[in-house]
Amino acid sequence: MKEINKTELIEILNKRFDNNYLCTGLKSVADYEIADLFLHETEDNYYLIKKRDDFFLADAFINKKNPKLTLLGTIILEYAFKRKKKEFIDIIKSLGFQEIMTRKLMRTSANGENLPFTILNKSFLGEVLCEIKASFDMYYGSIPAETELSKRFNNGEVIGLLDGENLMGFVEFSQTQSSLRIEHIAVCEKYRGLGKSKDLIKSLFGVAKAKNIPFVELFVNANNDIARKLYEKMGFKEDKLETIVFRRD
């Protein structure tokens, strides 16, 4: 495994246009720039790796004719698609991965009711990271490394609701040309049950309006009916894009 530079990253991402490869992710170069990125290569198979304390997050570029993976340890891999292909799932499973969950993309116009927003400064970094770790699954909650979250703060991509100097809740988000994507949204325990989740989303609508970005989107676990119904009430609708999360130990 080695660190990867931008030129090498672009070369790997171009394999999406090579029919000999199964590419599990749909990320752009900008999506990868938030993280310290590594490359694991096995016999013409390529894996973009983000390291975590006890496991690896991977995006795969798998040679369909000769799928291989020699990286040891727990690996989490997410296969994104608009049209599920059983042959691709079979290839991933042939490498020892098991299906864990399915996520669905939900999207809404950012033209809904919006609230003023507060961009959080880095004095809140530790509190936000602790809340993410407490509220989201270690393996499947896309928990960022501290360096990654720090870059979000530097980019102005963490907004919050404040009660004086106390944090009530926050949204960490990423940005594309057409949408703001919610990476993590959480309400601190003391303020739960007060409608703060809706207020956070309305605040993000305010960010989108200020940036002239038309959509807000997020991924939700397919079996999380409570979250899905909340988002539906806020105008979110399911998109065609889905993902399957796989794990290999």
Side-chain angles (χ1 to χ4, degrees), residues 13-217:
L13 293 181
N14 283 339
K15 294 189 183 299
R16 292 174 179 161
F17 309 107
D18 187 336
N19 288 330
N20 292 312
Y21 284 90
L22 157 59
C23 305
T24 60
L26 298 174
K27 297 184 181 75
S28 66
V29 173
D31 292 326
Y32 287 107
E33 289 178 342
I34 201 73
D36 294 328
L37 199 63
F38 298 84
L39 174 65
H40 175 79
E41 183 177 349
T42 304
E43 295 183 27
D44 214 22
N45 293 264
Y46 304 90
Y47 298 86
L48 297 176
I49 300 292
K50 290 189 285 186
K51 293 181 178 180
R52 296 297 182 255
D53 289 341
D54 299 310
F55 62 100
F56 302 104
L57 293 173
D59 285 330
F61 300 79
I62 302 170
N63 189 315
K64 295 177 185 177
K65 296 180 180 179
N66 184 35
K68 297 284 185 180
L69 175 58
T70 58
L71 183 64
L72 300 178
T74 298
I75 304 168
I76 307 299
L77 183 149
E78 193 161 9
Y79 165 44
F81 56 89
K82 291 188 175 181
R83 183 178 178 183
K84 186 189 299 186
K85 293 188 177 182
K86 184 179 181 299
E87 63 178 295
F88 290 176
I89 294 173
D90 289 343
I91 289 173
I92 295 170
K93 288 183 175 180
S94 75
L95 295 170
F97 286 95
Q98 294 182 333
E99 287 187 42
I100 301 298
M101 67 174 63
T102 300
R103 301 190 218 267
K104 294 180 179 291
L105 183 69
M106 300 187 74
R107 175 180 286 194
T108 186
S109 166
N111 290 328
E113 180 186 356
N114 62 81
L115 293 175
F117 58 89
T118 299
I119 298 174
L120 296 181
N121 61 50
K122 291 178 77 170
S123 67
F124 290 99
L125 190 154
E127 188 175 359
V128 167
L129 184 57
C130 285
E131 190 62 48
I132 290 175
K133 289 181 176 179
S135 300
F136 295 86
D137 186 275
M138 178 177 74
Y139 291 105
Y140 316 120
S142 300
I143 294 174
E146 184 173 345
T147 55
E148 295 167 14
L149 187 59
S150 178
K151 290 178 183 178
R152 293 277 187 224
F153 274 90
N154 290 341
N155 294 341
E157 295 175 339
V158 186
I159 63 169
L161 298 175
L162 299 176
D163 179 14
E165 296 183 353
N166 297 320
L167 182 65
M168 293 190 286
F170 61 88
V171 180
E172 175 210 351
F173 64 93
S174 57
Q175 180 176 331
T176 69
Q177 289 184 341
S178 63
S179 66
L180 298 183
R181 177 173 293 174
I182 297 173
E183 301 292 343
H184 296 94
I185 179 171
V187 176
C188 300
E189 186 173 7
K190 179 181 176 181
Y191 299 97
R192 290 172 189 166
L194 302 176
K196 298 303 178 184
S197 293
K198 291 182 180 179
D199 288 345
L200 284 166
I201 293 173
K202 290 176 182 178
S203 294
L204 192 60
F205 287 166
V207 177
K209 183 177 180 180
K211 292 177 174 287
N212 198 30
I213 291 176
F215 298 104
V216 170
E217 62 187 27

Side-chain angles (χ1 to χ4, degrees), residues 225-240:
D225 293 334
I226 294 175
R228 192 170 66 250
K229 287 178 181 178
L230 167 66
Y231 299 134
E232 287 174 349
K233 288 180 180 179
M234 297 292 296
F236 286 83
K237 296 181 180 180
E238 288 187 7
D239 189 82
K240 292 181 180 180

